[in-house]
């Protein structure tokens, strides 16, 4: 059994990165040359009643960027995204936000409608990134 970790902390153990909060899963797992990020949603303050799919998508991508940065990666290293929309009617707004996040050479993507379990979550993102060597590392 793993020890509990501080929210948003990551620790590498035998190639597996375990995440904080009270989760029973890793925030990210490294396998070979790929980093798999578990589903990311907007943090609690960004999921208030006035939030929109746009604001939540932007906040979820900020979460993704933070996790990637902890592995010296950026959004340019992302190779695949699965977006889970709580309401399929939000697709156009989600897609417009996607185009701002990935304006050039976007990664492969699948978007599905799914009931998201977290309170007030409108979007969840699962990401696969390539572990590449950046100049200066």
């Amino acid at each position: 059994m793993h020890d509990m970790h501080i929210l948003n902390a990551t620790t590498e153990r035998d190639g597996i990165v375990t995440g904080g909060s009270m989760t029973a899963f890793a925030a990210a797992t490294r396998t070979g040359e790929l980093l798999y990020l578990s589903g990311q949603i907007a943090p609690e303050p960004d999921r208030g009643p006035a939030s929109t799919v746009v604001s939540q998508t932007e906040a979820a991508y900020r979460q993704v960027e933070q996790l990637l940065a902890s592995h010296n990666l950026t959004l340019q290293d992302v190779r695949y995204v699965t977006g889970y929309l709580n309401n399929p009617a939000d697709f156009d707004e989600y897609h417009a936000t996607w185009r701002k996040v990935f304006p050039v050479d976007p990664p492969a993507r699948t978007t599905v409608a799914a009931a998201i379990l977290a309170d007030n979550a409108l979007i969840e993102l699962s990401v696969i990134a390539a572990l590449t060597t950046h100049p200066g590392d």
Side-chain angles (χ1 to χ4, degrees):
M1 183 147 297
H2 294 292
D3 296 332
M4 291 294 183
H5 299 282
I6 299 170
L7 181 63
N8 294 329
T10 58
T11 306
E12 291 192 42
R13 293 187 180 168
D14 300 322
I16 297 176
V17 180
T18 56
S21 121
M22 302 292 252
T23 61
F25 54 86
T29 302
R30 182 182 62 215
T31 302
E33 295 299 316
L34 297 175
L35 183 70
Y36 296 83
L37 303 186
S38 294
Q40 300 296 305
I41 60 174
E44 184 65 39
D46 294 313
R47 292 195 320 262
S51 67
T52 66
V53 73
V54 170
S55 66
Q56 287 196 25
T57 301
E58 290 169 345
Y61 273 113
R62 284 191 298 274
Q63 294 283 104
V64 167
E65 284 181 295
Q66 289 175 2
L67 269 174
L68 291 171
S70 71
H71 296 277
N72 298 317
L73 301 174
T74 70
L75 288 172
Q76 292 177 333
D77 299 302
V78 172
R79 299 297 180 258
Y80 191 85
V81 175
T82 303
Y84 302 93
L85 289 173
N86 205 29
N87 182 350
D90 289 335
F91 178 81
D92 289 341
E93 291 178 72
Y94 166 71
H95 182 69
T97 306
W98 162 273
R99 291 179 58 95
K100 290 177 186 174
V101 172
F102 298 106
V104 179
D105 298 326
R109 179 184 84 184
T110 298
T111 306
V112 296
I116 299 173
L117 300 178
D119 291 339
N120 300 319
L122 302 176
I123 180 79
E124 184 170 338
L125 303 169
S126 293
V127 173
I128 301 171
L131 295 166
T132 57
T133 303
H134 294 281
D137 284 353

